[in-house]
Amino acid sequence: MTNVVVIGSQWGDEGKGKIVDWLSERADIVVRFQGGHNAGHTLVIGEKVFKLSLLPSGVVRPGKLGVIGNGVVIDPWALVEEMERIRADGVSIDPASLVIAENAALILPVHRSLDRAREAARGDGKIGTTGRGIGPAYEDKVGRRAVRVCDLADPAMLRQRVADLLVHHNALLKGLGDEPVSAEQLVADLEEIAPKILPYAGVVWQVLDEARRAGKRILYEGAQGVMLDVDHGTYPFVTSSHTVPGQGASGSGSGPKSIGYVLGITKAYTTRVGSGPFPTEQDNEVGRLLGERGREFGTVTGRARRCGWFDAVLVRQAMRVGGVDGIALTKLDVLDGLDEIKIGIGYEIDGRRYDHLPASQALQARAEPIYETMAGWKESTYGARRWADLPATAIKYIRRIEELIDTPVALLSTSPEREDTIRVRDPFEG
Ligand code: GDP
Ligand code: IMO
Ligand code: MG
């Protein structure tokens, strides 16, 4: 038995929440290791729908430990709001079921303002961020001036940290012609929220180390997707964290060998929210159909997601970069009833063929997809729970994807509902 890391292999919203929830039945601990409340993970359990942003998707199952690792940026007000919202749905969250890394960096109101001000200033060149302050918070972390969870427990340290941070931010705000932030007010606000966060603060690396030694099973839950990774994604149209499996280790204080199986969550077509290149995008009837049938509206911002055909080049790249062992193929049902289905199998850029997406923003913008066309199927796959219930043409499509991305399907998801999941191979068995 081994520990599993779940990551998105496209531009996010592949269905990570659903799969993590399903897998967490057999895990003891679920760990978030990067991103923040830019993530929106949807769980559908019977009549109940949970939308989680910061809480690990294991929290809804009694008896599981949820962990928010050091690699996550935490907006304490958003976290408290989410805990209250999820509690109102009947889930119990207490310090026995949730641990937050004492060394995680905080997202402050000034980060959110800066994120939004920058986006507004970029105009047409905007990244289309979620406006949650994610980028500015990671900048301050790497700039060594972040306020961290542990600082909330030490009033003198908190004052010092806030003062250091505001030297930077107030200079920026002055340059933008905005009012400076009051250190007194920010400290007061943080002191007010601190008692709601501190009971959960803990030494996450130690908790995980002890759990491993005791033979507990750990599930690492990624946010976003490989193509939004700050290095490996479609830079600068990316998020500000590493979304690759290796981050599961560094974002929680676990050694690289503590993760034995990498599961890449992969949508049977492609979507993207926000700006940036999207070679197989279908800004037409096909795209509208996929968006409507797949209910492709952002969980966090409600924005309509851009939709297009499956891009095998992009996903193969994500498989290689992430060292993915197997995929969970999701939303196959959304393709039901299409006469034909296209798959992107290469790009043409300036008359030259590419079998990968080059790093240059200019080249990415000019990438024209080369397609292969497959027959669709008329039957419904919605809610299928056995491989034998799938139409032969749908199986052919799945086999072709496996071949093109050179990675096997471990799980297949056929509806938003938790139990509509087919297991081909058990990720926990390595
Ligand atoms: P995440 O960010 O990767 O967790 O994905 P989101 O929750 O943001 O978006 C995925 C959406 O697709 C959610 O509304 C899910 O309920 C839904 N979903 C997940 N798997 C399937 C599936 O196999 N079929 C269908 N039709 N919907 C699915
Ligand atoms: P989950 O975990 C899809 C996108 C934003 C924007 C870019 C940068 O639900 O898959 P940010 O606010 O992070 O600075 O925005 O990244 N983005 C996501 N897109 N799913 C997500 O998370 C995303 N988190 C960020 O739309 O293009
Ligand atoms: Mg999402």
Side-chain angles (χ1 to χ4, degrees):
M1 287 296 166
T2 192
N3 299 321
V4 174
V5 65
V6 164
I7 52 127
S9 45
Q10 291 145 320
W11 280 295
D13 302 328
E14 298 91 348
K16 297 176 291 293
K18 161 168 174 170
I19 298 297
V20 169
D21 169 54
W22 186 80
L23 285 170
S24 70
E25 183 186 6
R26 288 175 311 127
D28 299 296
I29 305 181
V30 183
V31 187
R32 274 286 305 271
F33 55 83
Q34 46 75 228
H37 64 315
N38 50 348
H41 296 178
T42 316
L43 283 52
V44 180
I45 303 156
E47 296 297 299
K48 285 212 155 149
V49 179
F50 295 95
K51 290 178 189 292
L52 302 173
S53 285
L54 269 167
L55 294 171
S57 295
V59 291
V60 303
R61 291 189 189 261
K64 309 292 174 184
L65 178 67
V67 170
I68 299 181
N70 54 278
V72 176
V73 279
I74 302 168
D75 178 327
W77 295 276
L79 178 58
V80 167
E81 189 272 332
E82 184 172 332
M83 288 200 278
E84 281 165 8
R85 183 164 53 82
I86 298 304
R87 276 199 192 104
D89 273 329
V91 174
S92 102
I93 302 170
D94 54 48
S97 63
L98 179 70
V99 183
I100 303 172
E102 57 173 6
N103 52 343
L106 299 184
I107 300 184
L108 302 173
V110 67
H111 295 128
R112 191 175 51 227
S113 318
L114 187 59
D115 190 357
R116 292 180 184 179
R118 280 196 190 139
E119 283 285 274
R122 282 188 194 108
D124 284 347
K126 71 174 194 292
I127 288 167
T129 71
T130 58
R132 298 295 192 266
I134 304 292
Y138 275 117
E139 286 170 37
D140 280 348
K141 169 175 164 165
V142 178
R144 295 168 292 198
R145 52 180 177 263
V147 178
R148 301 189 299 167
V149 170
C150 53
D151 300 325
L152 295 174
D154 180 341
M157 193 71 221
L158 184 63
R159 267 164 209 282
Q160 184 60 49
R161 284 257 156 254
V162 167
D164 286 350
L165 182 80
L166 290 184
V167 167
H168 177 80
H169 279 277
N170 281 341
L172 260 178
L173 289 167
K174 196 173 168 194
L176 291 167
D178 284 339
E179 287 297 306
V181 170
S182 147
E184 280 312 304
Q185 187 61 53
L186 182 51
V187 168
D189 291 345
L190 285 166
E191 282 177 341
E192 192 192 333
I193 198 85
K196 294 187 173 170
I197 299 290
L198 287 171
Y200 300 92
V203 187
V204 159
W205 64 265
Q206 205 167 51
V207 169
L208 294 178
D209 182 53
E210 281 163 12
R212 264 189 308 276
R213 287 170 197 276
K216 298 257 167 72
R217 210 178 283 173
I218 306 170
L219 181 57
Y220 296 84
E221 175 179 10
Q224 291 85 49
V226 172
M227 287 300 144
L228 287 169
D229 182 274
V230 67
D231 280 335
H232 299 287
T234 45
Y235 192 90
F237 302 101
V238 292
T239 191
S240 297
S241 68
H242 290 291
T243 58
V244 291
Q247 179 65 20
S250 53
S252 64
S254 310
K257 288 183 197 147
S258 60
I259 300 171
Y261 188 93
V262 179
L263 183 68
I265 314 302
T266 308
K267 207 179 269 193
Y269 50 99
T270 313
T271 63
R272 160 160 224 174
V273 212
S275 327
F278 183 171
T280 62
E281 181 171 17
Q282 297 297 300
D283 189 9
N284 54 31
E285 211 34 63
V286 171
R288 272 189 293 281
L289 189 80
L290 293 174
E292 208 169 281
R293 304 196 44 196
R295 304 201 183 162
E296 298 293 355
F297 293 92
T299 312
V300 172
T301 56
R303 290 178 290 176
R305 297 173 182 149
R306 300 155 63 192
C307 299
W309 296 118
F310 188 82
D311 187 339
V313 182
L314 208 82
V315 174
R316 184 171 57 228
Q317 192 159 325
M319 298 294 112
R320 300 274 154 85
V321 166
V324 176
D325 293 302
I327 65 165
L329 188 67
T330 62
K331 306 191 87 161
L332 182 74
D333 55 287
V334 174
L335 300 175
D336 290 352
L338 291 175
D339 289 331
E340 53 180 39
I341 301 172
K342 292 189 181 179
I343 304 181
I345 55 164
Y347 304 125
E348 195 179 299
I349 308 173
D350 303 334
R352 188 183 141 194
R353 183 166 172 148
Y354 284 75
D355 62 3
H356 74 286
L357 191 64
S360 151
Q361 183 185 348
L363 293 183
Q364 288 181 355
R366 293 202 294 276
E368 288 296 334
I370 299 165
Y371 289 115
E372 168 178 301
T373 304
M374 298 193 71
W377 52 92
K378 289 280 162 252
E379 302 88 337
S380 167
T381 64
Y382 189 87
R385 292 189 181 181
R386 295 182 323 156
W387 195 262
D389 294 338
L390 301 173
T393 348
I395 292 175
K396 220 168 149 189
Y397 180 68
I398 298 169
R399 293 294 179 224
R400 185 61 183 143
I401 285 178
E402 288 181 312
E403 198 171 73
L404 287 166
I405 67 172
D406 197 21
T407 309
V409 169
L411 306 174
L412 183 73
S413 166
T414 57
S415 101
E417 161 62 33
R418 180 191 262 177
E419 295 304 331
D420 292 338
T421 308
I422 300 172
R423 177 167 53 215
V424 180
R425 187 199 166 101
D426 184 353
F428 289 116
E429 276 169 15

